[in-house]
Amino acid sequence: MKDVLIIGAGIVGTAIARRLSRYKLSVAVVEKEADVSMGATKANSAIVHGGYAEAHEKTKGRLCYKGRIQFEQLDRELNFGFRKTGSLVITTDPADLPKLQSLLENGIKNGLDDLKILNRDEILALEPNLNPDVVYALYCEGAGVCSPYEMAIALAENAIHNGVEFHLNTAVEAIEKKEDGFLVHTSGGDFESRFVINCAGLFSDRVDQMVNQPTFHIRPRTGEYLLFAPGTGKALNTVVFQMPSKMGKGILVTSTYHGNLLLGPDAIDEDGTVDRSTHVDRLYAIYQAGLHTTSKIDPTKFIRSFTGIRAVASTDDFVIGATAVPGFLNAAGIQSPGLTSSPAIADLMAEILTEQGLVLEEKPDYDPYRAPIIKPGKQPRPFSEINKLLDIPSCPKKIICRCEQVEEGTIVDCLHRGIQVATVDGVKRRTRASMGFCQGQFCRPRIKEVIEREYGIQIDGRTDVEKEGASRVTREEFIRCCKERQEQQ
Ligand SMILES: Cc1cc2nc3c(=O)[nH]c(=O)nc-3n(C[C@H](O)[C@H](O)[C@H](O)COP(=O)(O)OP(=O)(O)OC[C@H]3O[C@@H](n4cnc5c(N)ncnc54)[C@H](O)[C@@H]3O)c2cc1C
């Protein structure tokens, strides 16, 4: 019998798992996919939001700042990649000033003390490449960018190190309430647990309804993105948002943690099942909107598009807490700013478990530290040096990915940290191998070879890359579209 069973290994499930791993408890996580971080946590804007945008009356308004202020310490412990950059909400219309002021006032209600409204000169001093028509901006000094899937991986690895079990490829199919807890039926067998925490993202309404009468529904809302080549992110110093709308925080332009320029997301409410395909018309509209923020976007440097799917709850808020069935807890419908709020959601869940009668006794040997996979501060080496290390016999220094200069030793390290990483994409998320300009054309077979050797398994060539049935706009298609539309103008 487990004390706690967590359903879903996104940022919320892994943050809760790691939070509970410091206590003398038996905790397990079940995840239907082959890796952690395969839902919304894998594909989002990766912004550590200030915490001013969500109303104070909402749970998400109260948790965002509490989560944000934990990122520096968490990154020191877990080494997943966080950079405090500051953020701007900009406008070119003087009539928007009261809206910026009301965002600032809401931020103060949410506990923030690092907000101010900047005028044009102050904005351009901070961001020389911004649209010169900008008139005002709300500046939040403590906002930043992180690497969300690396964060979930780091949380999971550290939770495993502290005794939490992770069961991947294990989908929850039904849940029975028993006298002293729950019997959870999964594709990987049954689990008994005193408490169950539902962190199933897009599927969290269905999991809740395995034990409860419906009290909320989840509707998917897609958002598409354009990602540009490594190095392009240096066009901007901060995260730059346009004015928010009812559907979200608006199109943002930012550097990712690893230095790629990122544009997006748009927002479309979907019905039923959604795939992660991208669409050239949507991407072109995002690109045009991005040009309103900065002209420093070069379409020829576009390398990849992707879609994120928000789990929007019918309550328009996070659904967190105890339910009508004692012992069954929800951390459901966690849409933006769920990544930022995740450390605070984990704290809240520990409080709720205590209220529900679980004793949280600290473990004396809890270790909060996890070594990085990507060593910080490594400088790119000249290609003349790299080329000599490409075709040498297997050794830790052998270069497997040319564009991102990833060594075999780094790949081997990521494969032996308690989670089986049996896809090239899983290695990509951990090491950045295949994220460069050639997008894996050179290194994919080389990565596959290392995985097969290390695990003594054969990977099916059709499944080495996690295909999601999605068709993504290619670099050639996007550049062609930009050219054609420019000619039409
Ligand atoms: C377009 C977009 C942009 C965003 N931008 C930001 C941002 O910049 N900053 C920010 O703070 N937040 C942002 N967010 C929000 C953030 O990404 C989410 O709040 C967060 O990732 C949600 O995490 P989760 O763990 O709840 O869900 P998920 O990451 O979706 O994880 C749920 C997990 O549950 C698993 N699961 C589902 N059903 C079952 C089952 N039956 N059995 C077992 N496992 C199951 C899934 O496979 C999945 O791995 C954005 C979201 C989107 C989509």
Side-chain angles (χ1 to χ4, degrees), residues 50-56 61-62 65 68 100-117 138-140:
Y52 52 80
E54 286 73 28
H56 184 66
R62 292 191 300 274
Y65 176 64
R68 185 250 276 189
L100 292 180
Q101 266 155 349
S102 88
L103 280 178
L104 184 143
E105 279 154 27
N106 187 59
I108 292 170
K109 272 196 216 160
N110 286 347
L112 281 72
D113 60 3
D114 58 352
L115 292 172
K116 58 180 169 186
I117 292 186
L138 177 67
Y139 176 56
C140 176

Side-chain angles (χ1 to χ4, degrees), residues 139-262:
Y139 176 56
C140 176
E141 194 186 344
V145 291
C146 75
S147 176
Y149 42 83
E150 286 176 76
M151 181 174 170
I153 290 163
L155 288 162
E157 286 181 0
N158 187 243
I160 291 169
H161 175 63
N162 286 298
V164 174
E165 286 174 20
F166 271 69
H167 300 265
L168 302 175
N169 295 307
T170 305
V172 171
E173 290 164 347
I175 305 175
E176 281 180 65
K177 176 79 182 109
K178 298 283 180 189
E179 208 177 310
D180 56 350
F182 297 87
L183 182 60
V184 179
H185 303 285
T186 79
S187 57
D190 291 349
F191 290 80
E192 283 183 295
S193 184
R194 282 179 66 201
F195 291 88
V196 171
I197 309 181
N198 169 19
C199 311
L202 268 182
F203 302 90
S204 52
D205 53 352
R206 281 174 245 179
V207 170
D208 178 62
Q209 286 163 34
M210 291 178 188
V211 286
N212 278 307
Q213 291 302 313
T215 52
F216 66 95
H217 293 283
I218 301 290
R219 186 166 186 195
R221 179 179 293 165
T222 55
E224 297 193 10
Y225 290 90
L226 296 96
L227 188 72
F228 293 80
T232 48
K234 62 179 182 293
L236 294 176
N237 301 311
T238 59
V239 178
V240 187
F241 297 95
Q242 296 175 4
M243 291 299 292
S245 75
K246 232 175 73 190
M247 294 292 272
K249 297 186 185 69
I251 298 293
L252 67 89
V253 185
T254 185
S255 171
T256 63
Y257 175 74
H258 290 290
N260 302 65
L261 196 69
L262 178 74

Side-chain angles (χ1 to χ4, degrees), residues 7-13 30-33 38-41 43-47 49 170-172 199-201 203 207 225 265 308-310 334-340:
I7 304 174
I11 199 70
V12 175
V30 285
E31 164 57 53
K32 70 179 170 60
E33 301 294 334
M38 296 295 285
T41 302
N44 56 59
S45 310
I47 308 305
H49 285 293
T170 305
V172 171
C199 311
F203 302 90
V207 170
Y225 290 90
I309 310 179
R310 306 160 179 98
I334 310 292
Q335 58 161 316
S336 191
L339 168 65
T340 312

